[in-house]
Amino acid sequence: MADHLPPSLLEACVVVGASSDKLREVYQAANSNGTPELPSLEPEVLHVLAPPFISRQQAESEAVRPFVRRRRSFIRKKREPPPFTASTLSQASSIFAGGGGGGAGGGGGGGNEDISVPKDIDLTALPQLCFPGGLHLSREQKEEEFHFLVFTDVFGNQTHGVVMQCYRPIMVHNPAHKMLNAQIYLEERMKEFSAKLALVPIPPPGQLHVMFALRPLTIVLPSREDKDHPAVDLDLHLPFLCFRAQQLLQVISCLLQEQRVVLFSANWARLTLVAESLLLFLRPLSWQQPYVPVLARGMLDFLMAPTAFLMGCHISHFEEVAAETDDLILINIDEGCVSTSCSESVDLPEIPLAAADCFTQRCLSLQMHFDLHQCHHASCSDINEQRAQRRAWQRNLNHDIQRITLELIVNIFRDVSSHLNYEHRVFNSEEFLKTRESGEQLFYKKVLETHIFHSFLKDRLNRKMDAFTRMELNTRSETQKMKAMVEIPRRPTMQEIQARRNSSITENRLNKRLGMSLPNLGDDRPISFPRHTVLSRIIIPDLCEINTSAPKPVNVFKLPDFPAALSFHSVQSYYSELILQLGKAIFCVPPENSALLARFYYLRGFINTLCSRRLDALSDFQNLYKTDTAIFPTQLVTWLVDALRREERQQADRRPELKRLILKPDDHVKKFVLPRTHLHQEEFVRCVQESGIVKDIATIHRLFDALTVGHQKLVDPELFRDFYTFWKETEAEAQDVNLPSEVIEHLDNSECVYKLSSCVKTSHGVGKIAMTQKRLFLLTEGRPGFLEITKFRDIQEVKISSAPFLLLRIPSLRIQTSSRPEMFEANLKTETDLWNLVVKEMWAGRKMAEQHKDPQYVAQALTNVLLMDAVVGCLQTQRSIFAASKLAYFDKVKHEVPMMVPKTTSETLKHKINPSLDLAEPQTVHVLLYTPGTRFTEKYDSEGNGNPKLWVALSGGRVIVFDAASWSMLQDCVQVGASQLNCMLGLFQEQVWIGSEDSVIYIIDTRSMSCNKQLTEHRHEVTGFIISSSPYSCSCDGTILHWDSSSLKVKRQFQINCNRLSSIQIHDGTLWCCKSLPDDLRRQLWTGCADSGELCLWHIKDHSRPFKRISLPGTTGVTCMIRVKNQIWVGCRGSSGVGGQYDGQLRSQVLVLDPESHAVVKELQAHSDSVQTLCSAEDRYVMSGSACRDGKIAIWKVE
């Protein structure tokens, strides 16, 4: 359990130097023969100081720190100090102070000293690492030197240490004189120093720093930016001073490909500082291989390890290492050069050119010299103020560097998310590789095989909302945003073909999702060392503008003065004073600053844990649910609950929210593998989804029927392989389509060629028929030209006929179009039947898309067409056309279901969107919420969050966010629990409250798009919200809570008796509580019931019975109702006979009523399943969401 206790600042302080015996021998030898040469000595551990530093029984020690990490003991025999006389020799002593890796331990006593240290610190290797160049004696005093160590355990946890090398005279004495025990004095001073630092808690992630006084210094201890980043307390611009941007890119490329990298410098401190900076540049990717930034002279054999690593050596070993080891990347920090061992170059591909160009240009804007930055300011006479200015400058510079390196990583891995299957946790690496440029494929192939990328994939599959995800979303192009609205099979657009043709325009390569192609690994660009690649052209992509917002302001909390004594009671008094000051800080923080409150609660909970105040600690951690769940210490809280004593357990049992846990996400990652056994339908669905061909289950079921026509309902693995190969080869052929410029100029930028016939004779000449998502056109032979055949919307008739040829009749396809009087005819021969299916399906899909104003129908028709093509290609039998016809879904619906949408519906319907686009099946739209834009609010506009948003609650706790200006998807999934979501409320444009079936109110921050707060006061399903001056919430058991929106505390609580409270409303200062769905207008209350197709109207003052009932035609129940302007919009449940999958028929209605005449003025039909929710957008539009057989959102115009 100690692994879950946040560490203190110092874990151990170790004094390393030469033993007294060795010093006596050296002194005697030096005096006897006067040798000027002083030998090197073997360093060893002299003292180990580790907490707790108190002189009370072990029981009391455990009260201070109730659980400790397991430690390894280092036993050494205590030696009596030898008698010496005074000497002018000085010996080097090394003081190692390590912290940040874990808990503390206790020391031993008696004849043998049992030295106990944190398990991450290797005492055996520590002496060598403290003196990596050896321990030397000197005849003159030298200044102190510092360097830094990093210890990494098998789980990747790191302990950082600072080493101070200092010289002190060797004190000797005559036996007749009292011994001068400088060693004892040093030990006491070190013990005092260590004891004070051990009392300093590490601040939680966020914008709260901790300050403490260590006389005469005042030290500020920074926190981590978030829980996924280490604390940055170093100068990140140091590598930029040592290397040019091109060399830094080479080093980053080596690390991304997990090469064997060795750093060299004459300065030991510089090794660790540069190494730590380089690893920070890789974030959010985390280095997974061995990492030893400082190697002692006797550890050079580590460089013979066959695995990847990052290590550091003294520059004096450069030639030896280069000569004795192969395949190493050698980085000389002092000279700023990169080379390889035993060769001048290595076949290592470089970072993609466009991403590298962007990074290089960004580096030119960095202001990396403080004096130049401050030269226009007056000189500062206050040293503390000058230090503060320097810290602020360094913090801003670090922020800029981290943004630039993050942009580099985003540009490299932007398209990874396009090849993820979240449901089955599959990354389709082969398809991702095929989308890369030929010169980039080898780089990506190497990176995709690394541990560092595998860890990155886990976070992407867990939909982690980190800095990478936020930047990737914020820098998407408008084309990408629009593509996210519909799932279209991947093909290169006309714009992308032009960009590929003009390869110098590299900005288009950063922000696009390319079509698939077969791998071509022939043109990789090797990195030559030490030669530097000269980039011929640097262009900053307009769509990748870096976010230049300043770092968030920080708050500093000052710790109490350290106790003078090291007794148990003084330490307890110190902790009590610290808890008191944290309580005062919590009281002074305004409730709206919940992030700062969360950090204070966290610190106080940690200190309460150290003092064994378990219930107080649990109470503090519980408050994180209301302030910031991102820093909730799940494992520590679990341990605290399990460690409660009986009386504490009884008190805790009366507060069940204390036991709430955060579930651990699934971390496994799979790669797609072709099946080797026969597939039943369920297995077939899984394989097709994992392959990335199509996600929709209904479509996969039709594909299964097509592939099993005339056979038992099993798909042979060879047949699946043939189908998969044909599908991918067709995608690859689309990459090779190289249309002439004369043709491209007739097509829209977004159009893609999805199918191309062989060269055939047509009524318009000889050529190839090409199909895009909008039209058919003829690529004429001879001089390539463009001749439009028809747009799909203009088709009137498609049929098969035969054309005479000598004594034969050749099958031909005839298309009648409204754009020209003559009929188009093409002698497609054996392709005729397939093209007949293809054109009819696209025609039907386009007609339905236009009538229903839903672009997803075109995308779905395209998928059906490509599946037909693959089925015919892989079956190669007489029944292949019949099998492909099983996929002609829209053509079938066209003949079975009336295609016409009622005129009123068509005139009122503006658009339809599909929130379940990335899911395997349509999901019920349970709740809709519109939040108005803040485009002209400065603090939001700077981050691109100014547009209005539509929040959509789907099944399973999923929340999807759309930009309500363009209806593009902003956030594909914010996960809030796993239960059904019942209601949503927008609060001050900063928060969205969501009531769940699991009794929790989840709070989403609208800027970060993350759920970082929870309210757990309800004990049953939360069913409704309403806001007056502050919000109210209700649950199905009749509980109504009135909230303080700033402190998130309950101001008042009501309880009413009812079977199921479903909603609440406020009218004229009166709170109305209903089992049905109310709305009020002109002193009237309108209510509806889910099991009755009528509305009841009530007088506000007379609650005895409704004064009027309005019958609703064609409905079996009312599901939702809102007032918009002077109209009442009612969502209804359709015929009870509806069942099975979507068949294209509109079953449920949205009714618009006039409150004056009580008449139905509009009957709107846009959903094939019951309408679940209605939402108004500033009285201009109304959005309706439907149940799972439809799962769409319709957007209606309000007159």
Side-chain angles (χ1 to χ4, degrees):
M1 182 53 225
D3 292 337
H4 312 311
L5 183 66
S8 298
L9 178 60
L10 183 133
E11 293 295 318
C13 184
V14 183
V15 180
V16 178
S19 68
S20 299
D21 291 342
K22 291 291 184 182
L23 291 176
R24 181 174 55 188
E25 293 175 4
V26 171
Y27 173 77
Q28 291 174 349
N31 283 344
S32 61
N33 54 27
T35 306
E37 293 274 341
L38 296 176
S40 297
L41 301 179
E42 191 70 26
E44 60 181 77
V45 173
L46 302 180
H47 306 287
V48 177
L49 304 170
F53 299 95
I54 57 175
S55 55
R56 188 170 173 173
Q57 292 85 354
Q58 182 66 23
E60 291 181 337
S61 298
E62 292 175 355
V64 176
R65 201 173 183 91
F67 42 83
V68 298
R69 291 193 174 190
R70 288 177 299 169
R71 303 186 180 279
R72 294 170 292 101
S73 292
F74 179 87
I75 310 295
R76 63 179 175 84
K77 179 77 173 177
K78 281 189 172 180
R79 298 179 175 88
E80 294 295 331
F84 283 141
T85 57
S87 170
T88 58
L89 294 182
S90 295
Q91 68 149 328
S93 295
S94 178
I95 301 174
F96 168 85
N112 287 332
E113 184 179 1
D114 187 351
I115 304 172
S116 183
V117 295
K119 64 181 178 63
D120 299 332
I121 300 177
D122 184 1
L123 278 184
T124 305
L126 184 61
Q128 294 185 68
L129 295 174
C130 288
F131 293 96
L135 192 157
H136 303 286
L137 300 179
S138 172
R139 296 186 181 274
E140 57 186 29
Q141 184 67 29
K142 293 185 178 182
E143 293 184 355
E144 295 88 350
E145 292 184 359
F146 295 85
H147 67 274
F148 313 96
L149 303 178
V150 181
F151 296 92
T152 308
D153 66 13
V154 294
F155 302 106
N157 302 312
Q158 292 185 343
T159 298
H160 292 76
V162 180
V163 178
M164 181 184 75
Q165 289 186 0
C166 57
Y167 285 78
R168 62 185 178 88
I170 300 176
M171 305 300 296
V172 296
H173 67 88
N174 283 320
H177 296 84
K178 185 177 179 181
M179 177 178 147
L180 300 175
N181 201 343
Q183 188 169 343
I184 295 178
Y185 173 75
L186 175 64
E187 183 176 352
E188 290 299 321
R189 289 296 303 272
M190 293 307 304
K191 185 175 182 181
E192 179 185 356
F193 168 80
S194 304
K196 290 178 178 179
L197 293 187
L199 296 177
V200 178
I202 299 294
Q207 303 304 314
L208 177 64
H209 296 180
V210 168
M211 181 171 69
F212 60 94
L214 199 63
R215 307 299 178 190
L217 300 176
T218 299
I219 300 171
V220 176
L221 182 63
S223 62
R224 295 180 289 167
E225 183 176 347
D226 58 59
K227 64 179 181 180
D228 301 312
H229 284 75
V232 179
D233 191 22
L234 60 149
D235 300 342
L236 292 183
H237 67 290
L238 292 181
F240 291 86
L241 299 178
C242 298
F243 303 99
R244 294 193 297 271
Q246 292 87 346
Q247 293 168 316
L248 272 179
L249 287 168
Q250 291 177 345
V251 176
I252 292 173
S253 176
C254 295
L255 295 175
L256 288 175
Q257 297 173 69
E258 290 189 349
Q259 298 297 307
R260 301 162 70 215
V261 180
V262 186
L263 305 176
F264 292 91
S265 176
N267 187 306
W268 294 107
R270 196 176 299 162
L271 289 171
T272 305
L273 293 176
V274 171
E276 288 286 295
S277 298
L278 292 173
L279 296 187
L280 281 171
F281 295 166
L282 301 181
R283 291 286 179 177
L285 283 79
S286 178
W287 182 256
Q288 307 287 314
Q289 300 294 344
Y291 171 50
V292 187
V294 173
L295 277 179
R297 181 175 53 189
M299 298 179 175
L300 294 182
D301 57 327
F302 285 15
L303 301 178
M304 305 298 291
T307 184
F309 53 72
L310 174 59
M311 299 186 186
C313 293
H314 196 271
I315 191 65
S316 59
H317 304 302
F318 186 92
E319 297 298 333
E320 177 186 357
V321 171
E324 296 295 331
T325 53
D326 298 327
D327 300 326
L328 294 183
I329 306 298
L330 309 178
I331 301 173
N332 188 329
I333 298 174
D334 300 340
E335 296 183 5
C337 62
V338 183
S339 60
T340 62
S341 58
C342 303
S343 65
E344 294 184 358
S345 64
V346 63
D347 292 332
L348 190 65
E350 63 185 5
I351 286 175
L353 182 60
D357 285 352
C358 182
F359 175 82
T360 303
Q361 188 69 11
R362 299 289 190 210
C363 292
L364 298 177
S365 65
L366 292 175
Q367 302 294 327
M368 288 185 287
H369 299 281
F370 177 70
D371 292 336
L372 287 177
H373 176 77
Q374 291 290 111
C375 63
H376 62 289
H377 293 291
S379 299
C380 183
S381 58
D382 187 343
I383 186 64
N384 291 325
E385 182 180 349
Q386 187 176 22
R387 288 173 177 171
Q389 290 177 355
R390 170 74 191 215
R391 283 199 301 267
W393 171 82
Q394 187 65 59
R395 183 167 175 265
N396 289 329
L397 179 58
N398 284 355
H399 178 268
D400 291 341
I401 291 174
Q402 287 177 286
R403 294 294 298 180
I404 289 174
T405 55
L406 176 62
E407 184 190 33
L408 173 67
I409 300 300
V410 169
N411 288 338
I412 293 173
F413 298 110
R414 179 182 297 278
D415 292 338
V416 165
S417 59
S418 302
H419 299 80
L420 297 178
N421 183 296
Y422 295 98
E423 182 178 2
H424 300 289
R425 299 189 62 81
V426 171
F427 172 60
N428 203 323
S429 57
E430 292 184 6
E431 301 310 317
F432 174 79
L433 282 174
K434 294 173 186 177
T435 66
R436 305 300 92 193
E437 292 272 13
S438 59
E440 300 171 357
Q441 287 183 354
L442 187 55
F443 168 81
Y444 282 105
K445 186 175 182 180
K446 288 179 176 292
V447 171
L448 264 55
E449 295 172 352
T450 62
H451 291 85
I452 191 174
F453 181 76
H454 186 81
S455 177
F456 171 77
L457 270 186
K458 291 180 181 179
D459 291 337
R460 299 317 109 200
L461 287 169
N462 290 334
R463 299 180 185 270
K464 188 173 186 177
M465 180 51 68
D466 55 9
F468 177 94
T469 304
R470 286 191 289 271
M471 178 176 280
E472 195 276 330
L473 289 173
N474 291 336
T475 56
R476 283 182 179 178
S477 66
E478 289 301 320
T479 302
Q480 285 179 324
K481 292 178 182 178
M482 297 306 295
K483 281 185 176 182
M485 295 174 60
V486 292
E487 186 177 6
I488 299 178
R490 290 178 284 260
R491 295 294 188 274
T493 64
M494 297 303 106
Q495 185 179 20
E496 290 168 347
I497 290 176
Q498 285 282 44
R500 185 171 57 193
R501 184 171 297 163
N502 304 320
S503 58
S504 61
I505 306 178
T506 59
E507 61 266 34
N508 291 325
R509 304 304 300 169
L510 281 178
N511 287 318
K512 67 183 181 176
R513 291 177 178 173
L514 296 172
M516 299 295 186
S517 65
L518 288 179
N520 180 4
L521 305 180
D523 298 324
D524 58 289
R525 296 188 302 274
I527 294 178
S528 295
F529 301 112
R531 182 181 61 85
H532 305 294
T533 304
V534 179
L535 301 176
S536 59
R537 185 175 181 184
I538 298 174
I539 297 179
I540 301 298
D542 295 336
L543 301 176
C544 261
E545 284 302 322
I546 194 167
N547 189 326
T548 56
S549 59
K552 298 177 182 178
V554 299
N555 295 272
V556 179
F557 175 72
K558 188 177 186 306
L559 299 178
D561 291 336
F562 294 118
L566 297 177
S567 67
F568 170 78
H569 294 293
S570 63
V571 171
Q572 288 295 297
S573 298
Y574 171 80
Y575 283 146
S576 298
E577 176 65 20
L578 179 53
I579 291 172
L580 181 63
Q581 290 193 17
L582 286 169
K584 292 179 180 179
I586 290 171
F587 179 79
C588 295
V589 175
E592 58 270 16
N593 195 348
S594 58
L596 182 58
L597 272 175
R599 273 69 196 169
F600 284 133
Y601 280 128
Y602 181 100
L603 277 178
R604 193 171 70 174
F606 171 53
I607 301 302
N608 277 323
T609 301
L610 295 180
C611 297
S612 295
R613 302 174 184 176
R614 298 180 183 88
L615 288 180
D616 291 339
L618 288 173
S619 179
D620 285 326
F621 292 137
Q622 166 62 20
N623 282 317
L624 297 180
Y625 278 110
K626 294 183 180 180
T627 50
D628 191 352
T629 57
I631 60 173
F632 187 84
T634 305
Q635 294 175 314
L636 175 57
V637 169
T638 304
W639 179 88
L640 283 171
V641 172
D642 294 340
L644 293 175
R645 295 190 296 269
R646 182 176 179 180
E647 59 274 16
E648 292 174 328
R649 171 77 61 178
Q650 292 174 350
Q651 297 180 52
D653 286 342
R654 293 192 287 269
R655 303 172 61 185
E657 69 274 7
L658 295 181
K659 296 182 180 179
R660 298 188 61 85
L661 299 177
I662 299 175
L663 297 177
K664 182 180 179 181
D666 187 0
D667 279 344
H668 80 277
V669 180
K670 295 193 297 184
K671 290 186 178 180
F672 173 67
V673 178
L674 287 170
R676 298 181 180 179
T677 59
H678 287 75
L679 302 174
H680 294 282
Q681 188 179 67
E682 183 178 348
E683 297 166 331
F684 180 78
V685 169
R686 177 185 57 78
C687 279
V688 172
Q689 288 177 336
E690 289 184 359
S691 70
I693 294 176
V694 65
K695 298 176 185 175
D696 181 65
I697 290 181
T699 303
I700 300 175
H701 285 170
R702 291 191 288 272
L703 176 61
F704 182 80
D705 292 340
L707 292 177
T708 56
V709 165
H711 304 284
Q712 58 178 336
K713 293 301 181 178
L714 289 173
V715 174
D716 185 271
E718 290 300 322
L719 177 59
F720 188 93
R721 180 183 295 274
D722 292 342
F723 168 79
Y724 178 82
T725 302
F726 191 92
W727 175 274
K728 296 305 176 185
E729 287 177 348
T730 304
E731 287 182 333
E733 289 171 1
Q735 282 290 318
D736 297 329
V737 173
N738 192 13
L739 300 177
S741 299
E742 296 80 4
V743 175
I744 292 177
E745 65 186 16
H746 289 89
L747 302 175
D748 297 341
N749 283 340
S750 60
E751 281 189 85
C752 308
V753 174
Y754 286 92
K755 186 167 175 59
L756 197 64
S757 75
S758 57
C759 189
V760 297
K761 179 182 178 182
T762 74
S763 56
H764 295 332
V766 178
K768 295 181 179 180
I769 298 175
M771 184 195 80
T772 73
Q773 65 266 48
K774 294 183 179 181
R775 74 187 88 211
L776 296 170
F777 66 90
L778 186 68
L779 279 172
T780 57
E781 282 291 293
R783 184 180 178 205
F786 172 89
L787 180 62
E788 181 170 286
I789 299 172
T790 182
K791 292 183 173 66
F792 288 115
R793 64 161 60 99
D794 298 331
I795 293 178
Q796 294 178 328
E797 182 184 13
V798 179
K799 64 180 181 180
I800 295 177
S801 65
S802 58
F805 179 75
L806 299 178
L807 300 178
L808 303 175
R809 298 194 67 84
I810 300 175
S812 65
L813 183 69
R814 291 190 172 189
I815 302 174
Q816 182 67 55
T817 175
S818 61
S819 60
R820 58 183 66 195
E822 70 275 10
M823 181 175 286
F824 173 80
E825 183 173 5
N827 299 336
L828 287 161
K829 302 177 185 176
T830 58
E831 298 179 65
T832 302
D833 291 330
L834 177 59
W835 273 94
N836 178 56
L837 287 176
V838 165
V839 175
K840 285 184 176 180
E841 181 70 3
M842 290 299 299
W843 175 27
R846 171 60 68 178
K847 295 292 286 187
M848 287 192 68
E850 292 182 348
Q851 291 181 5
H852 293 255
K853 299 183 180 178
D854 186 351
Q856 184 62 31
Y857 287 137
V858 174
Q860 197 170 341
L862 277 171
T863 299
N864 295 340
V865 163
L866 296 177
L867 290 174
M868 291 180 198
D869 197 25
V871 167
V872 172
C874 72
L875 290 180
Q876 297 291 331
T877 64
Q878 294 181 348
R879 298 178 60 86
S880 60
I881 296 298
F882 175 72
S885 68
K886 297 285 186 181
L887 293 157
Y889 172 68
F890 288 106
D891 188 46
K892 179 182 177 183
V893 171
K894 172 184 172 183
H895 290 92
E896 295 180 355
V897 181
M899 291 283 289
M900 293 303 298
V901 174
K903 182 179 179 182
T904 304
T905 299
S906 181
E907 292 175 347
T908 310
L909 181 63
K910 176 179 173 61
H911 191 57
K912 289 182 79 173
I913 54 179
N914 180 16
S916 303
L917 185 64
D918 290 331
L919 303 175
E921 293 181 293
Q923 302 290 308
T924 297
V925 179
H926 291 286
V927 195
L928 292 172
L929 173 68
Y930 173 86
T931 55
T934 55
R935 186 170 300 181
F936 303 106
T937 302
E938 182 177 351
K939 71 174 182 176
Y940 279 84
D941 189 53
S942 65
E943 297 192 11
N945 293 323
N947 288 340
K949 298 179 179 65
L950 178 65
W951 303 75
V952 184
L954 303 180
S955 301
R958 293 185 180 93
V959 177
I960 312 297
V961 187
F962 286 89
D963 184 331
S966 63
W967 302 116
S968 59
M969 190 179 292
L970 288 178
Q971 183 63 41
D972 56 2
C973 183
V974 180
Q975 192 70 37
V976 288
S979 302
Q980 177 179 313
L981 306 177
N982 295 328
C983 49
M984 291 197 286
L985 174 70
L987 205 62
F988 311 126
Q989 298 177 341
E990 296 179 354
Q991 296 178 345
V992 171
W993 289 27
I994 303 176
S996 174
E997 201 175 55
D998 62 9
S999 79
V1000 177
I1001 297 174
Y1002 297 93
I1003 300 178
I1004 294 179
D1005 184 291
T1006 59
R1007 300 181 68 184
S1008 65
M1009 294 290 185
S1010 60
C1011 177
N1012 60 356
K1013 299 175 187 175
Q1014 299 176 21
L1015 306 180
T1016 58
E1017 277 71 7
H1018 281 288
R1019 293 293 174 263
H1020 294 82
E1021 177 182 352
V1022 181
T1023 55
F1025 290 120
I1026 192 65
I1027 187 168
S1028 177
S1029 58
S1030 54
Y1032 292 78
S1033 63
C1034 68
S1035 53
C1036 62
D1037 64 332
T1039 300
I1040 301 172
L1041 302 181
H1042 184 197
W1043 296 91
D1044 183 319
S1045 57
S1046 296
S1047 64
L1048 300 182
K1049 295 181 179 179
V1050 176
K1051 297 166 65 176
R1052 300 173 66 190
Q1053 179 172 338
F1054 311 92
Q1055 187 72 42
I1056 63 173
N1057 294 320
C1058 66
N1059 292 331
R1060 179 178 174 82
L1061 178 59
S1062 63
S1063 63
I1064 52 178
Q1065 293 282 354
I1066 293 179
H1067 181 74
D1068 284 348
T1070 303
L1071 183 66
W1072 292 75
C1073 309
C1074 305
K1075 292 174 60 179
S1076 53
L1077 303 150
D1079 212 320
D1080 65 271
L1081 189 71
R1082 294 181 179 275
R1083 314 288 300 173
Q1084 298 172 1
L1085 183 70
W1086 293 53
T1087 62
C1089 294
D1091 56 356
S1092 174
E1094 66 177 12
L1095 296 178
C1096 297
L1097 276 62
W1098 307 72
H1099 285 300
I1100 295 295
K1101 301 298 183 181
D1102 182 8
H1103 310 155
S1104 59
R1105 61 188 178 87
F1107 72 88
K1108 186 176 180 62
R1109 296 177 184 270
I1110 303 175
S1111 178
L1112 303 178
T1115 66
T1116 60
V1118 177
T1119 55
C1120 48
M1121 179 168 45
I1122 61 173
R1123 186 183 70 181
V1124 184
K1125 289 185 177 178
N1126 60 343
Q1127 300 172 339
I1128 298 292
W1129 289 60
V1130 183
C1132 302
R1133 192 186 307 277
S1135 170
S1136 59
V1138 178
Q1141 66 185 36
Y1142 168 63
D1143 58 6
Q1145 188 165 349
L1146 307 178
R1147 303 281 190 176
S1148 299
Q1149 299 184 98
V1150 175
L1151 303 179
V1152 184
L1153 285 82
D1154 184 342
E1156 296 288 345
S1157 63
H1158 300 160
V1160 177
V1161 296
K1162 287 185 180 180
E1163 296 182 25
L1164 307 176
Q1165 301 175 352
H1167 298 291
S1168 60
D1169 205 344
S1170 62
V1171 179
Q1172 294 293 105
T1173 179
L1174 292 170
C1175 171
S1176 171
E1178 301 176 0
D1179 286 348
R1180 297 173 56 206
Y1181 301 103
V1182 169
M1183 284 74 76
S1184 61
S1186 62
C1188 61
R1189 282 193 295 269
D1190 181 45
K1192 301 284 184 71
I1193 298 171
I1195 302 159
W1196 308 92
K1197 293 177 287 188
V1198 177
E1199 297 177 355

